[in-house]
Amino acid sequence: MNMFKNAGTMLLPDHGLGDGGDMGCLLTAGRAVCAVIATWLVLVVLLFLPCLFPTRWMYYIYSPASVGLWMLAMAVAPVAVLIVKREWIRKGR
Protein backbone atom coordinates (compact mmCIF):
# COMPACT_ATOMS: atom_id res chain seq x y z
CA MET A 1 0.00 0.00 0.00
CA ASN A 2 1.35 3.36 -0.98
CA MET A 3 1.64 5.77 1.94
CA PHE A 4 0.75 8.75 -0.24
CA LYS A 5 -1.85 9.20 -2.95
CA ASN A 6 -0.89 11.19 -5.99
CA ALA A 7 -3.37 14.05 -6.35
CA GLY A 8 -2.02 16.02 -9.27
CA THR A 9 1.03 17.85 -8.02
CA MET A 10 0.26 17.37 -4.31
CA LEU A 11 0.91 14.28 -2.26
CA LEU A 12 -1.84 13.62 0.27
CA PRO A 13 -1.49 11.09 3.10
CA ASP A 14 -3.55 7.93 2.72
CA HIS A 15 -5.45 7.29 5.97
CA GLY A 16 -6.87 3.98 4.78
CA LEU A 17 -10.38 5.35 4.43
CA GLY A 18 -10.62 4.45 0.76
CA ASP A 19 -12.24 6.94 -1.58
CA GLY A 20 -14.61 8.19 1.12
CA GLY A 21 -12.12 10.48 2.86
CA ASP A 22 -13.86 12.75 5.31
CA MET A 23 -17.24 11.50 4.16
CA GLY A 24 -16.31 8.00 5.38
CA CYS A 25 -15.59 9.43 8.84
CA LEU A 26 -18.93 11.23 8.85
CA LEU A 27 -20.79 8.08 7.83
CA THR A 28 -19.03 6.08 10.52
CA ALA A 29 -19.88 8.67 13.17
CA GLY A 30 -23.46 8.85 11.89
CA ARG A 31 -23.90 5.08 12.13
CA ALA A 32 -22.52 5.12 15.69
CA VAL A 33 -24.89 7.92 16.71
CA CYS A 34 -27.83 6.10 15.11
CA ALA A 35 -26.95 2.90 16.99
CA VAL A 36 -26.85 4.76 20.33
CA ILE A 37 -30.13 6.61 19.69
CA ALA A 38 -31.86 3.40 18.57
CA THR A 39 -30.67 1.65 21.73
CA TRP A 40 -31.99 4.46 23.91
CA LEU A 41 -35.34 4.44 22.08
CA VAL A 42 -35.72 0.69 22.66
CA LEU A 43 -34.94 1.15 26.36
CA VAL A 44 -37.47 3.99 26.70
CA VAL A 45 -40.15 1.88 24.99
CA LEU A 46 -39.33 -0.97 27.37
CA LEU A 47 -39.67 1.44 30.29
CA PHE A 48 -43.19 2.45 29.29
CA LEU A 49 -44.33 -0.99 28.11
CA PRO A 50 -45.41 -2.13 31.61
CA CYS A 51 -48.09 0.61 31.58
CA LEU A 52 -50.24 -2.03 29.87
CA PHE A 53 -50.23 -4.14 33.04
CA PRO A 54 -52.70 -3.69 35.93
CA THR A 55 -52.01 -0.69 38.15
CA ARG A 56 -51.41 -2.81 41.26
CA TRP A 57 -48.26 -4.20 39.59
CA MET A 58 -46.73 -0.74 39.07
CA TYR A 59 -45.08 -0.67 42.50
CA TYR A 60 -43.18 -3.87 41.74
CA ILE A 61 -42.34 -3.00 38.15
CA TYR A 62 -41.19 0.55 38.88
CA SER A 63 -39.43 -0.18 42.15
CA PRO A 64 -36.27 1.80 42.94
CA ALA A 65 -34.13 -1.22 42.08
CA SER A 66 -35.69 -1.69 38.65
CA VAL A 67 -35.43 2.02 37.85
CA GLY A 68 -31.78 1.95 38.93
CA LEU A 69 -31.13 -1.04 36.69
CA TRP A 70 -32.86 0.74 33.82
CA MET A 71 -30.64 3.80 34.36
CA LEU A 72 -27.58 1.55 34.38
CA ALA A 73 -28.79 -0.06 31.16
CA MET A 74 -29.07 3.42 29.57
CA ALA A 75 -25.33 3.84 30.14
CA VAL A 76 -24.09 0.29 29.47
CA ALA A 77 -26.33 -0.93 26.63
CA PRO A 78 -25.12 1.59 24.01
CA VAL A 79 -21.52 0.58 24.68
CA ALA A 80 -22.45 -3.08 24.25
CA VAL A 81 -24.30 -2.31 21.00
CA LEU A 82 -21.31 -0.37 19.66
CA ILE A 83 -19.01 -3.29 20.46
CA VAL A 84 -21.32 -5.89 18.89
CA LYS A 85 -22.07 -3.79 15.79
CA ARG A 86 -18.54 -2.40 15.28
CA GLU A 87 -18.16 -4.08 11.88
CA TRP A 88 -21.39 -2.49 10.61
CA ILE A 89 -20.41 0.88 12.06
CA ARG A 90 -16.97 0.77 10.48
CA LYS A 91 -17.85 -0.57 7.00
CA GLY A 92 -21.61 -0.27 6.68
CA ARG A 93 -22.02 -4.00 6.10
Side-chain angles (χ1 to χ4, degrees):
M1 180 167 97
N2 191 0
M3 187 172 163
F4 293 96
K5 288 184 187 177
N6 188 357
T9 59
M10 284 179 60
L11 292 178
L12 300 173
D14 182 12
H15 298 291
L17 297 174
D19 295 328
D22 290 335
M23 192 62 163
C25 290
L26 289 175
L27 289 173
T28 301
R31 284 190 289 265
V33 168
C34 286
V36 170
I37 290 173
T39 304
W40 283 343
L41 285 175
V42 167
L43 288 171
V44 168
V45 166
L46 289 175
L47 177 70
F48 291 115
L49 193 62
C51 290
L52 302 173
F53 294 137
T55 56
R56 66 179 179 265
W57 292 12
M58 291 303 144
Y59 174 78
Y60 302 105
I61 294 173
Y62 294 122
S63 68
S66 64
V67 172
L69 287 173
W70 178 80
M71 290 172 57
L72 182 67
M74 288 290 279
V76 174
V79 175
V81 168
L82 291 177
I83 290 170
V84 169
K85 293 293 187 180
R86 69 179 172 258
E87 188 68 26
W88 173 75
I89 290 170
R90 191 174 1 167
K91 296 183 180 177
R93 297 182 236 155

